[in-house]
């Protein structure tokens, strides 16, 4: 298989507004932290935050994902109160600039998610936690009735599918409606495992849920090319294109304009007059 033959029809409810994921969406990353691994995504002052939000919207962001606690390897985990303080300051600016663009909160703390949804109208919970916080976050997302991004730290597709199946059922039992799955590139996986999962990404379609790919400027690109995060845009674009061909519904990225262009070109190619069988052997299964 060279292209995911059929995108699953899936619509998520973002605080009363429906977003159709049949057409892939771009989620821009905005980190209100001083220590995220890619300096281009860091924003702390109101002026810088405002400028980054305006640029993302102008470049075509469908969603803006906000994080206030870095999850990079070796990074310091700030306290819950500090994470909330950073988010309250940032969200006052972001909600003003991003009127009409849905916001997502990138956190592993249920109370942080609850605050962002309840006080600032954030529309999506992007859970980057693990088994220690997951059950409480499941209950929080279901109670708040917002779409939930379920990330995996499993190292193989086989283990990922088993765990996803169990966790999705737990969420359904709690009444959770909209679920997006994220294979969690860079979380709990070796370099080889990251690429093995990417090579089989289309097999996640068996779950019947939209797939988010967050691969932007990560070490799995840096290590292969011998580059820094600042130099990894081209590698990111290559892997984003492959992800779209394998059925990704959302690209979580630092570089919105380049990702939007990748979506447009990939969509044109997948909708072209050429069938899968006529496409050269570029991305073998």
């Amino acid at each position: 298989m060279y292209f995911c033959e059929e995108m699953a029809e899936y619509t998520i409810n973002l605080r009363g507004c429906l977003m159709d994921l049949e057409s892939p969406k771009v989620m821009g990353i905005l980190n209100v932290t001083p220590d995220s691994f890619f300096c281009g995504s860091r924003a702390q002052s109101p002026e810088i935050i405002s400028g980054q939000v305006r640029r993302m919207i102008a470049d075509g962001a469908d969603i803006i994902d906000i994080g206030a606690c870095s999850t990079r390897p070796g990074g310091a985990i700030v306290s819950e109160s500090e994470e909330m303080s950073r988010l309250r300051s940032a969200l006052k600016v972001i909600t003003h600039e991003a009127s009409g663009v849905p916001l997502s909160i990138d956190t592993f703390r249920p109370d942080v998610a609850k605050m962002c949804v309840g006080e600032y109208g954030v529309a999506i919970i992007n859970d980057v936690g693990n088994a220690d916080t997951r059950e409480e976050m499941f209950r929080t997302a279901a109670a708040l009735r917002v779409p939930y991004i379920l990330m995996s730290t499993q190292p193989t597709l086989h283990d990922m599918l088993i765990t996803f199946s169990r966790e999705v059922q737990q969420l359904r039992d709690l009444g959770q409606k909209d679920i997006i799955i994220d294979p969690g590139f860079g979380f709990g996986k070796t370099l080889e495992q990251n690429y093995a999962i990417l090579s089989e990404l289309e097999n996640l379609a068996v779950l019947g849920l939209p797939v988010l790919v967050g691969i932007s400027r990560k070490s799995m690109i840096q290590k292969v090319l011998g580059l820094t995060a600042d130099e990894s845009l081209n590698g990111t674009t290559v892997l984003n294109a492959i992800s779209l061909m394998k059925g990704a519904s959302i690209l979580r990225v630092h570089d919105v304009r380049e990702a939007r262009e990748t979506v447009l070109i990939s969509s044109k190619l997948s909708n072209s007059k050429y069938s899968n069988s006529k496409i050269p052997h570029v991305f073998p299964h």
Side-chain angles (χ1 to χ4, degrees):
M1 180 186 293
Y2 307 105
F3 290 87
C4 186
E5 294 182 2
E6 185 177 329
M7 292 289 291
E9 294 185 9
Y10 202 98
T11 301
I12 57 175
N13 188 331
L14 302 174
R15 304 185 72 87
C17 296
L18 298 181
M19 176 178 281
D20 184 0
L21 297 183
E22 186 174 0
S23 172
K25 299 298 184 284
V26 175
M27 172 186 278
I29 299 169
L30 179 62
N31 289 312
V32 291
T33 62
D35 59 345
S36 294
F37 76 91
F38 175 52
C39 63
S41 70
R42 301 173 195 161
Q44 290 183 281
S45 73
E47 294 77 19
I48 292 174
I49 291 170
S50 178
Q52 286 204 11
V53 171
R54 288 198 303 269
R55 183 168 61 252
M56 284 185 190
I57 294 171
D59 287 346
D62 299 293
I63 305 164
I64 297 176
D65 189 50
I66 306 139
C69 179
S70 177
T71 54
R72 67 179 176 86
I77 303 298
V78 300
S79 68
E80 183 171 297
S81 61
E82 174 63 18
E83 185 180 5
M84 284 187 175
S85 176
R86 291 177 179 180
L87 286 167
R88 284 194 169 101
S89 297
L91 283 166
K92 290 175 184 176
V93 178
I94 296 167
T95 53
H96 174 73
E97 295 288 354
S99 177
V101 177
L103 304 179
S104 167
I105 177 61
D106 179 332
T107 187
F108 61 90
R109 291 173 166 136
D111 286 343
V112 171
K114 192 180 301 182
M115 181 272 290
C116 291
V117 174
E119 295 182 20
Y120 295 95
V122 168
I124 301 171
I125 296 173
N126 182 12
D127 184 5
V128 292
N130 54 34
D132 294 335
T133 58
R134 185 133 287 178
E135 288 192 14
E136 187 179 351
M137 189 67 95
F138 284 1
R139 291 191 293 271
T140 298
L144 292 171
R145 299 182 180 275
V146 294
Y148 175 75
I149 300 171
L150 174 63
M151 190 191 76
S152 177
T153 58
Q154 295 297 327
T156 68
L157 189 73
H158 174 268
D159 293 345
M160 191 178 293
L161 285 169
I162 291 173
T163 305
F164 270 151
S165 296
R166 183 183 69 250
E167 292 179 331
V168 167
Q169 188 57 57
Q170 286 179 262
L171 284 162
R172 295 295 192 210
D173 291 343
L174 289 166
Q176 179 65 28
K177 301 298 183 185
D178 293 326
I179 303 168
I180 300 161
I181 54 174
D182 174 0
F185 291 108
F187 289 83
K189 302 164 182 64
T190 65
L191 179 66
E192 291 74 19
Q193 287 168 339
N194 278 313
Y195 279 96
I197 290 167
L198 180 59
S199 73
E200 301 180 282
L201 191 70
E202 67 272 20
N203 291 321
L204 288 177
V206 70
L207 296 171
L209 296 170
V211 176
L212 177 147
V213 169
I215 215 163
S216 181
R217 296 183 181 266
K218 286 189 174 179
S219 63
M220 64 181 285
I221 299 168
Q222 299 170 42
K223 289 177 181 177
V224 170
L225 300 179
L227 301 174
T228 65
D230 288 351
E231 300 167 320
S232 296
L233 174 56
N234 190 53
T236 296
T237 299
V238 171
L239 295 191
N240 278 339
I242 294 171
S243 299
L244 291 169
M245 292 174 184
K246 289 178 170 288
S249 295
I250 302 174
L251 298 178
R252 182 179 180 272
V253 299
H254 299 95
D255 308 279
V256 171
R257 179 175 60 83
E258 290 81 356
R260 171 58 60 200
E261 291 173 354
T262 305
V263 167
L264 290 173
I265 290 174
S266 297
S267 296
K268 183 67 174 176
L269 188 58
S270 63
N271 292 328
S272 73
K273 64 181 179 180
Y274 297 102
S275 67
N276 292 350
S277 62
K278 294 179 182 177
I279 297 171
H281 290 258
V282 179
F283 299 113
H285 184 272

